[in-house]
Amino acid sequence: MAISPESMPENPIDFRAPPPSPIASGRRSSVTNDEVLTEFLEHSLRVPDLILPDKIFPRQKIVETPPRIDCQSLIAGESDSVLRMLDSIARIGCFQLVNFGISSEFIRLASVTAAGIFQLPPEKKEAVSRSLERPYGFEEVHGDHQEAESEVSEEFVWCKDESLKLDMEGIWPTGYSNFSKKMETLSSDIEKVARKILQILHENCARKSMYGNDMMQRQDLIGSVCCLYKHGRNFLADQWASSLGYDVMRMLIRGTDYSHALCLHVCDGSSEFHVYSKKGWVSFCPDKDALIVTVGDRTQVWSGGQYKHVFGWPIFKGEDKDSISMAFLYSPPSSNSSSSKTSKGKTVSLGQQAILAIILTLVCHFLVYFYKEV
């Protein structure tokens, strides 16, 4: 039966809000408590004044010219060349290599051809820019550096990849084929030199890490790469200083992007060469037509820290035209890639094992039934 409004009780339940908490009048008033709370918040929420260093790199640098090592003497195993190379790598992480079997004329021709890449329009460069999905191509310049840095330096990451070839032929059909052929020839010759150097380092390593073989035989997705840099011509001193910090930071990031054993720098005509490591900053004037060889992260790992990982960067000053430098990041190919594929082909999956077990069970039951009937 429905309840009419008249049948409801005359005095409904009275809901009242709880009384406010009393303030201890003997201590402080509400105004005083507000002042204390405000003072506490001001102190606790205050952002500290941070003073950042005005220089990215240490102001003091060591001027030390690494030894000039003859490649043919090094390959022949002459003790003097081997010891000087090992000593230089242990101290500053690099050395200069001469007489390495690649003509300086061919290297200059490859550099001139590589300069054509950086003459492409910006919209075409953007179409083949580096990304997480594309580990090669043009490096974009972001932020406030975009206008100034594009005039100072540019970067292009090249590798022996069919996708890169297709992408570049789409935006540079007339010149990329010639450039790619020269780069493949130069890269193959550089890899032969790097392979011999790495073998000598491995044979003369006093302490080897337990992960040495894994680092030596690790296979890259795109193999060895070459970072090509265009260094801008005459510009202001303050612009050059800011560009140096930006370029080196970009170089450090690139070194972490591409794990490598050795880096061979082609920087003919550079006025200085800087080597950065945890120990400090080394600067020297490279010899004409010399390769600068620096140690990579993989070599530091498998050598147990005997050979130190460093980053190298050439400096071009007072040039009346753009200069091209190349850094070949070498990593040895895996020696057991074919054997791993063979072993993978012989592997029996879990489903196949289950089917085989069922077949064997049925065969056993059939044999038991057959013998019983006989």
Side-chain angles (χ1 to χ4, degrees), residues 194-262:
R195 192 178 302 114
K196 294 176 181 178
I197 295 174
L198 200 61
Q199 181 180 358
I200 295 174
L201 292 177
H202 195 264
E203 292 174 353
N204 292 273
C205 183
R207 53 174 189 249
K208 298 178 182 179
S209 170
M210 59 182 297
Y211 305 104
N213 293 332
D214 295 337
M215 294 300 294
M216 287 287 290
Q217 298 177 358
R218 193 168 120 192
Q219 179 70 31
D220 289 318
L221 296 177
I222 60 175
S224 300
V225 301
C226 176
C227 298
L228 294 97
Y229 302 97
K230 187 201 79 171
H231 304 264
R233 52 186 178 272
N234 296 327
F235 47 89
L236 300 177
D238 56 347
Q239 187 181 9
W240 178 87
S242 62
S243 170
L244 175 61
Y246 180 81
D247 289 336
V248 173
M249 288 300 297
R250 191 170 58 185
M251 174 199 64
L252 297 177
I253 295 174
R254 189 70 60 256
T256 57
D257 285 347
Y258 300 106
S259 177
H260 60 283
L262 293 174

Coordinates of all heavy atoms in Angstrom, one line a residue, residues 194-262:
A194 N 90.7 -1.8 -41.1 CA 90.2 -1.9 -39.7 C 90.3 -3.3 -39.2 O 90.6 -3.6 -38.0 CB 88.8 -1.4 -39.7
R195 N 90.0 -4.3 -40.1 CA 90.0 -5.7 -39.7 C 91.4 -6.1 -39.2 O 91.6 -6.9 -38.3 CB 89.5 -6.6 -40.8 CG 89.2 -8.0 -40.4 CD 88.7 -8.8 -41.6 NE 87.5 -8.2 -42.2 CZ 87.4 -7.7 -43.4 NH1 88.4 -7.6 -44.2 NH2 86.3 -7.1 -43.8
K196 N 92.4 -5.7 -40.0 CA 93.8 -6.0 -39.6 C 94.2 -5.4 -38.3 O 94.9 -6.0 -37.5 CB 94.8 -5.6 -40.8 CG 94.5 -6.4 -42.0 CD 95.4 -5.9 -43.2 CE 95.1 -6.7 -44.5 NZ 95.9 -6.2 -45.6
I197 N 93.8 -4.1 -38.1 CA 94.2 -3.4 -36.9 C 93.5 -4.1 -35.7 O 94.1 -4.3 -34.6 CB 93.8 -1.9 -37.0 CG1 94.6 -1.2 -38.0 CG2 93.9 -1.3 -35.6 CD1 94.1 0.2 -38.3
L198 N 92.3 -4.5 -35.9 CA 91.5 -5.1 -34.8 C 92.1 -6.5 -34.4 O 92.2 -6.9 -33.3 CB 90.1 -5.3 -35.2 CG 89.1 -5.4 -34.0 CD1 89.1 -4.2 -33.1 CD2 87.7 -5.6 -34.6
Q199 N 92.6 -7.2 -35.4 CA 93.2 -8.5 -35.2 C 94.5 -8.3 -34.4 O 94.8 -9.1 -33.4 CB 93.6 -9.2 -36.5 CG 94.2 -10.5 -36.4 CD 94.5 -11.2 -37.7 OE1 94.2 -10.6 -38.7 NE2 95.1 -12.4 -37.6
I200 N 95.3 -7.3 -34.7 CA 96.5 -7.0 -33.9 C 96.2 -6.6 -32.5 O 96.9 -7.1 -31.5 CB 97.4 -5.9 -34.6 CG1 97.8 -6.4 -36.0 CG2 98.6 -5.5 -33.8 CD1 98.5 -5.3 -36.8
L201 N 95.2 -5.8 -32.3 CA 94.8 -5.4 -30.9 C 94.3 -6.6 -30.1 O 94.6 -6.8 -29.0 CB 93.7 -4.4 -31.0 CG 94.0 -3.0 -31.5 CD1 92.8 -2.1 -31.6 CD2 95.1 -2.3 -30.7
H202 N 93.6 -7.5 -30.8 CA 93.1 -8.7 -30.1 C 94.2 -9.6 -29.7 O 94.2 -10.2 -28.6 CB 92.1 -9.4 -31.0 CG 91.2 -10.4 -30.3 ND1 91.6 -11.8 -30.2 CD2 90.1 -10.3 -29.6 CE1 90.7 -12.4 -29.5 NE2 89.8 -11.5 -29.1
E203 N 95.2 -9.8 -30.6 CA 96.4 -10.6 -30.3 C 97.2 -10.1 -29.2 O 97.9 -10.9 -28.5 CB 97.2 -10.8 -31.6 CG 96.5 -11.6 -32.6 CD 97.3 -11.7 -33.9 OE1 98.3 -11.0 -34.0 OE2 96.9 -12.4 -34.9
N204 N 97.3 -8.8 -29.0 CA 98.2 -8.2 -28.0 C 97.4 -7.7 -26.8 O 98.0 -6.9 -26.0 CB 98.9 -7.0 -28.6 CG 99.9 -7.4 -29.7 OD1 101.1 -7.8 -29.4 ND2 99.5 -7.5 -30.9
C205 N 96.2 -8.1 -26.6 CA 95.4 -7.7 -25.4 C 95.8 -8.5 -24.2 O 95.7 -9.8 -24.2 CB 93.9 -7.8 -25.7 SG 92.9 -7.2 -24.4
A206 N 96.3 -7.9 -23.2 CA 96.7 -8.6 -22.0 C 95.5 -9.2 -21.2 O 95.6 -10.3 -20.6 CB 97.6 -7.7 -21.1
R207 N 94.5 -8.4 -21.1 CA 93.3 -8.9 -20.3 C 92.1 -8.8 -21.3 O 91.8 -7.8 -21.9 CB 93.1 -8.1 -19.1 CG 93.0 -6.6 -19.3 CD 92.7 -5.8 -18.0 NE 92.4 -4.4 -18.2 CZ 93.2 -3.5 -17.8 NH1 94.3 -3.7 -17.2 NH2 92.9 -2.2 -18.0
K208 N 91.3 -9.9 -21.3 CA 90.2 -10.0 -22.2 C 88.9 -10.2 -21.3 O 88.9 -11.1 -20.4 CB 90.3 -11.1 -23.2 CG 91.5 -10.8 -24.2 CD 91.6 -11.9 -25.2 CE 92.8 -11.7 -26.1 NZ 93.0 -12.8 -27.1
S209 N 87.9 -9.5 -21.7 CA 86.6 -9.6 -20.9 C 86.0 -11.0 -21.2 O 86.2 -11.6 -22.3 CB 85.7 -8.5 -21.2 OG 84.4 -8.7 -20.7
M210 N 85.2 -11.4 -20.3 CA 84.4 -12.7 -20.5 C 83.4 -12.5 -21.6 O 82.9 -13.5 -22.1 CB 83.7 -13.1 -19.2 CG 82.8 -12.0 -18.6 SD 82.0 -12.5 -17.1 CE 81.1 -14.0 -17.6
Y211 N 83.0 -11.2 -21.9 CA 82.1 -11.0 -23.0 C 82.8 -10.6 -24.3 O 82.2 -10.1 -25.2 CB 81.2 -9.8 -22.6 CG 80.5 -10.0 -21.3 CD1 80.9 -9.3 -20.1 CD2 79.4 -10.9 -21.2 CE1 80.3 -9.5 -18.9 CE2 78.8 -11.0 -20.0 CZ 79.2 -10.3 -18.8 OH 78.6 -10.5 -17.7
G212 N 84.1 -10.9 -24.4 CA 84.8 -10.5 -25.5 C 84.3 -11.1 -26.8 O 84.2 -10.4 -27.8
N213 N 84.1 -12.4 -26.8 CA 83.7 -13.1 -28.1 C 82.3 -12.6 -28.5 O 82.1 -12.5 -29.7 CB 83.7 -14.6 -27.8 CG 85.1 -15.2 -27.6 OD1 86.1 -14.6 -28.1 ND2 85.2 -16.3 -26.9
D214 N 81.4 -12.4 -27.6 CA 80.1 -11.9 -27.9 C 80.2 -10.5 -28.6 O 79.5 -10.2 -29.5 CB 79.2 -11.8 -26.7 CG 78.9 -13.2 -26.1 OD1 79.1 -14.2 -26.9 OD2 78.6 -13.3 -24.9
M215 N 81.0 -9.6 -28.0 CA 81.1 -8.3 -28.6 C 81.8 -8.3 -29.9 O 81.5 -7.6 -30.9 CB 81.9 -7.4 -27.6 CG 81.2 -7.1 -26.3 SD 79.6 -6.3 -26.5 CE 80.1 -4.7 -27.2
M216 N 82.8 -9.2 -30.1 CA 83.5 -9.3 -31.4 C 82.6 -9.9 -32.5 O 82.8 -9.5 -33.7 CB 84.8 -10.2 -31.2 CG 85.9 -9.5 -30.4 SD 86.7 -8.2 -31.4 CE 87.5 -9.2 -32.6
Q217 N 81.7 -10.8 -32.1 CA 80.9 -11.5 -33.1 C 79.5 -11.0 -33.2 O 78.7 -11.6 -33.9 CB 80.9 -13.0 -32.8 CG 82.3 -13.6 -32.8 CD 82.3 -15.1 -32.4 OE1 81.2 -15.6 -32.1 NE2 83.4 -15.7 -32.5
R218 N 79.2 -9.9 -32.6 CA 77.8 -9.4 -32.6 C 77.5 -8.8 -34.0 O 78.3 -8.1 -34.6 CB 77.7 -8.3 -31.6 CG 76.2 -7.9 -31.4 CD 76.1 -7.0 -30.1 NE 75.6 -5.7 -30.5 CZ 75.6 -4.7 -29.7 NH1 76.2 -4.8 -28.5 NH2 75.1 -3.5 -30.0
Q219 N 76.4 -9.2 -34.5 CA 76.0 -8.8 -35.9 C 75.1 -7.6 -35.9 O 74.1 -7.6 -35.1 CB 75.3 -10.0 -36.6 CG 74.9 -9.7 -38.0 CD 76.0 -9.5 -39.0 OE1 77.0 -10.2 -38.8 NE2 75.9 -8.7 -40.0
D220 N 75.4 -6.6 -36.7 CA 74.6 -5.4 -36.8 C 73.5 -5.6 -37.8 O 73.7 -6.4 -38.8 CB 75.5 -4.2 -37.1 CG 76.3 -3.7 -36.0 OD1 75.9 -3.7 -34.8 OD2 77.5 -3.4 -36.2
L221 N 72.4 -4.8 -37.7 CA 71.4 -4.9 -38.6 C 71.8 -4.3 -40.0 O 71.3 -4.7 -41.0 CB 70.1 -4.2 -38.1 CG 69.5 -4.8 -36.8 CD1 68.3 -3.9 -36.3 CD2 69.1 -6.2 -37.1
I222 N 72.6 -3.2 -39.9 CA 73.0 -2.5 -41.2 C 74.5 -2.6 -41.4 O 74.9 -2.0 -42.3 CB 72.4 -1.1 -41.1 CG1 73.0 -0.3 -40.0 CG2 71.0 -1.0 -41.1 CD1 72.7 1.2 -40.0
G223 N 75.2 -3.3 -40.6 CA 76.6 -3.4 -40.7 C 77.4 -2.1 -40.4 O 76.9 -1.2 -39.7
S224 N 78.6 -2.0 -41.0 CA 79.4 -0.8 -40.8 C 78.7 0.5 -41.5 O 78.1 0.3 -42.5 CB 80.8 -1.0 -41.3 OG 81.4 -2.0 -40.7
V225 N 78.8 1.6 -40.8 CA 78.2 2.8 -41.4 C 79.3 3.9 -41.5 O 80.4 3.8 -41.0 CB 77.1 3.3 -40.4 CG1 76.0 2.3 -40.2 CG2 77.7 3.8 -39.1
C226 N 79.0 4.9 -42.3 CA 79.9 6.0 -42.5 C 79.1 7.3 -42.2 O 78.0 7.5 -42.8 CB 80.5 6.1 -43.9 SG 81.5 7.5 -44.2
C227 N 79.6 8.2 -41.3 CA 79.0 9.4 -41.0 C 79.7 10.5 -41.8 O 80.9 10.7 -41.6 CB 79.0 9.8 -39.6 SG 78.1 8.6 -38.5
L228 N 79.1 11.1 -42.8 CA 79.7 12.2 -43.6 C 79.3 13.5 -43.0 O 78.1 13.8 -42.7 CB 79.2 12.1 -45.0 CG 79.7 10.9 -45.8 CD1 78.6 9.8 -45.8 CD2 80.0 11.2 -47.2
Y229 N 80.2 14.4 -42.9 CA 80.0 15.8 -42.3 C 80.4 16.8 -43.3 O 81.5 16.7 -43.9 CB 80.8 16.0 -41.0 CG 80.4 14.9 -39.9 CD1 81.2 13.8 -39.8 CD2 79.3 15.1 -39.1 CE1 81.0 12.9 -38.8 CE2 79.0 14.1 -38.1 CZ 79.9 13.0 -38.0 OH 79.6 12.1 -37.0
K230 N 79.6 17.8 -43.4 CA 80.0 19.0 -44.2 C 80.3 20.1 -43.2 O 79.4 20.6 -42.4 CB 78.8 19.5 -45.1 CG 79.2 20.6 -46.0 CD 78.0 21.4 -46.6 CE 77.5 22.4 -45.5 NZ 76.5 23.3 -46.0
H231 N 81.5 20.6 -43.2 CA 81.9 21.7 -42.3 C 81.9 23.0 -43.0 O 82.6 23.1 -44.1 CB 83.4 21.4 -41.8 CG 83.5 20.1 -41.1 ND1 83.4 19.9 -39.7 CD2 83.7 18.8 -41.6 CE1 83.6 18.6 -39.4 NE2 83.8 17.9 -40.6
G232 N 81.2 24.0 -42.5 CA 81.0 25.2 -43.2 C 82.3 26.0 -43.3 O 83.2 25.9 -42.4
R233 N 82.3 26.9 -44.2 CA 83.5 27.8 -44.4 C 83.4 29.0 -43.5 O 82.6 29.0 -42.6 CB 83.6 28.2 -45.8 CG 82.4 28.9 -46.5 CD 82.6 29.1 -47.9 NE 81.4 29.7 -48.6 CZ 80.5 28.9 -49.1 NH1 80.5 27.6 -49.0 NH2 79.4 29.5 -49.6
N234 N 84.2 30.0 -43.7 CA 84.4 31.2 -42.8 C 83.1 31.6 -42.1 O 82.1 31.9 -42.8 CB 84.9 32.4 -43.6 CG 86.3 32.0 -44.2 OD1 87.1 31.3 -43.6 ND2 86.6 32.6 -45.4
F235 N 83.1 31.7 -40.8 CA 82.1 32.2 -40.0 C 82.7 32.8 -38.7 O 83.8 32.6 -38.4 CB 81.0 31.2 -39.7 CG 81.5 29.9 -39.2 CD1 81.7 29.6 -37.9 CD2 81.8 28.8 -40.1 CE1 82.2 28.4 -37.4 CE2 82.2 27.6 -39.6 CZ 82.4 27.4 -38.3
L236 N 81.8 33.5 -38.0 CA 82.3 34.3 -36.8 C 82.9 33.3 -35.7 O 82.5 32.2 -35.6 CB 81.2 35.1 -36.3 CG 80.6 36.2 -37.2 CD1 79.5 36.9 -36.6 CD2 81.7 37.1 -37.7
A237 N 83.7 33.9 -34.9 CA 84.4 33.1 -33.8 C 83.4 32.6 -32.8 O 83.4 31.4 -32.4 CB 85.5 33.9 -33.2
D238 N 82.4 33.5 -32.4 CA 81.5 33.0 -31.4 C 80.5 32.0 -32.0 O 80.1 31.1 -31.3 CB 80.7 34.2 -30.9 CG 80.0 35.0 -32.0 OD1 80.4 34.8 -33.2 OD2 79.2 35.9 -31.7
Q239 N 80.2 32.1 -33.3 CA 79.4 31.1 -34.0 C 80.1 29.8 -34.1 O 79.5 28.7 -33.9 CB 79.0 31.6 -35.3 CG 78.0 30.7 -36.1 CD 77.6 31.2 -37.4 OE1 78.3 32.2 -37.9 NE2 76.6 30.6 -38.0
W240 N 81.4 29.8 -34.3 CA 82.2 28.6 -34.4 C 82.2 27.9 -33.0 O 82.2 26.7 -32.9 CB 83.6 28.9 -34.8 CG 84.5 27.7 -34.9 CD1 84.7 26.9 -35.9 CD2 85.4 27.2 -33.9 NE1 85.5 25.9 -35.6 CE2 86.0 26.1 -34.3 CE3 85.7 27.7 -32.6 CZ2 86.9 25.4 -33.6 CZ3 86.6 27.0 -31.8 CH2 87.2 25.8 -32.3
A241 N 82.4 28.7 -31.9 CA 82.4 28.1 -30.6 C 81.1 27.4 -30.2 O 81.1 26.2 -29.7 CB 82.7 29.2 -29.6
S242 N 80.0 28.0 -30.5 CA 78.7 27.4 -30.3 C 78.5 26.2 -31.2 O 77.9 25.2 -30.7 CB 77.6 28.4 -30.4 OG 77.5 28.8 -31.8
S243 N 79.0 26.3 -32.4 CA 78.8 25.1 -33.3 C 79.6 23.9 -32.9 O 79.2 22.8 -33.0 CB 79.2 25.6 -34.7 OG 79.3 24.5 -35.6
L244 N 80.8 24.2 -32.3 CA 81.7 23.1 -31.9 C 81.0 22.3 -30.8 O 81.0 21.1 -30.8 CB 83.0 23.7 -31.4 CG 84.0 22.6 -30.7 CD1 84.3 21.6 -31.8 CD2 85.2 23.3 -30.2
G245 N 80.4 23.0 -29.8 CA 79.7 22.3 -28.7 C 78.5 21.5 -29.2 O 78.3 20.3 -28.8
Y246 N 77.8 22.1 -30.2 CA 76.6 21.4 -30.7 C 77.0 20.2 -31.5 O 76.5 19.1 -31.4 CB 75.8 22.4 -31.6 CG 74.6 21.7 -32.2 CD1 73.4 21.6 -31.5 CD2 74.6 21.3 -33.5 CE1 72.3 21.0 -32.1 CE2 73.5 20.7 -34.1 CZ 72.4 20.6 -33.4 OH 71.3 20.0 -34.0
D247 N 78.1 20.3 -32.4 CA 78.5 19.2 -33.2 C 79.1 18.1 -32.4 O 78.9 16.9 -32.7 CB 79.6 19.7 -34.2 CG 79.0 20.6 -35.3 OD1 77.8 20.5 -35.5 OD2 79.8 21.4 -35.8
V248 N 79.8 18.4 -31.3 CA 80.4 17.3 -30.5 C 79.3 16.6 -29.7 O 79.4 15.4 -29.6 CB 81.5 17.9 -29.6 CG1 81.9 16.9 -28.6 CG2 82.6 18.5 -30.3
M249 N 78.3 17.3 -29.2 CA 77.2 16.6 -28.6 C 76.5 15.7 -29.5 O 76.1 14.6 -29.2 CB 76.2 17.7 -28.0 CG 76.8 18.4 -26.8 SD 77.1 17.3 -25.4 CE 75.5 16.6 -25.1
R250 N 76.3 16.2 -30.8 CA 75.7 15.3 -31.8 C 76.6 14.1 -32.1 O 76.1 13.0 -32.3 CB 75.5 16.1 -33.0 CG 74.6 15.5 -34.1 CD 74.2 16.4 -35.2 NE 75.4 17.0 -35.8 CZ 75.3 17.9 -36.8 NH1 74.2 18.5 -37.1 NH2 76.5 18.3 -37.3
M251 N 77.9 14.3 -32.1 CA 78.8 13.2 -32.3 C 78.8 12.2 -31.2 O 78.8 11.0 -31.4 CB 80.2 13.7 -32.5 CG 81.3 12.7 -32.6 SD 82.9 13.3 -32.2 CE 82.7 13.8 -30.5
L252 N 78.6 12.6 -29.9 CA 78.5 11.7 -28.8 C 77.3 10.9 -28.9 O 77.3 9.7 -28.6 CB 78.6 12.5 -27.5 CG 79.9 13.3 -27.2 CD1 79.7 14.1 -25.9 CD2 81.1 12.4 -27.1
I253 N 76.2 11.5 -29.3 CA 74.9 10.8 -29.5 C 75.1 9.8 -30.6 O 74.6 8.6 -30.5 CB 73.8 11.8 -29.7 CG1 73.6 12.7 -28.5 CG2 72.5 11.0 -30.1 CD1 72.5 13.8 -28.8
R254 N 75.7 10.1 -31.7 CA 75.9 9.2 -32.8 C 76.8 8.0 -32.3 O 76.5 6.9 -32.8 CB 76.6 9.9 -33.9 CG 76.7 9.1 -35.2 CD 75.3 9.0 -35.8 NE 74.7 10.3 -36.2 CZ 73.8 10.8 -35.5 NH1 73.3 10.2 -34.4 NH2 73.3 12.0 -35.8
G255 N 77.8 8.2 -31.5 CA 78.6 7.1 -31.0 C 77.8 6.1 -30.2 O 78.1 4.9 -30.2
T256 N 76.8 6.6 -29.5 CA 76.0 5.7 -28.8 C 74.9 5.0 -29.6 O 74.5 3.9 -29.4 CB 75.3 6.4 -27.6 OG1 74.5 7.5 -28.1 CG2 76.3 7.0 -26.6
D257 N 74.5 5.7 -30.7 CA 73.5 5.1 -31.6 C 74.1 3.9 -32.4 O 73.4 2.9 -32.6 CB 73.1 6.1 -32.7 CG 72.1 7.2 -32.1 OD1 71.6 6.9 -30.9 OD2 71.9 8.2 -32.7
Y258 N 75.4 4.0 -32.8 CA 76.0 2.9 -33.5 C 77.2 2.4 -32.7 O 78.3 3.0 -32.7 CB 76.5 3.5 -34.9 CG 75.4 4.1 -35.7 CD1 75.3 5.4 -35.9 CD2 74.5 3.2 -36.4 CE1 74.3 6.0 -36.7 CE2 73.5 3.7 -37.2 CZ 73.4 5.1 -37.3 OH 72.4 5.6 -38.1
S259 N 76.9 1.2 -32.1 CA 78.0 0.5 -31.4 C 79.0 0.1 -32.4 O 78.7 -0.5 -33.5 CB 77.4 -0.6 -30.6 OG 78.4 -1.3 -29.9
H260 N 80.3 0.3 -32.1 CA 81.4 -0.1 -33.1 C 82.7 -0.5 -32.3 O 82.8 -0.2 -31.2 CB 81.6 1.1 -34.0 CG 82.1 2.4 -33.3 ND1 81.2 3.2 -32.6 CD2 83.3 2.9 -33.2 CE1 81.9 4.2 -32.1 NE2 83.1 4.1 -32.4
A261 N 83.5 -1.1 -33.1 CA 84.8 -1.5 -32.5 C 85.9 -0.5 -32.8 O 86.7 -0.2 -31.9 CB 85.3 -2.9 -33.1
L262 N 86.0 0.1 -34.0 CA 86.9 1.1 -34.4 C 86.2 2.1 -35.2 O 85.3 1.9 -35.9 CB 88.1 0.5 -35.2 CG 89.1 -0.5 -34.5 CD1 90.0 -1.0 -35.5 CD2 89.8 0.2 -33.3

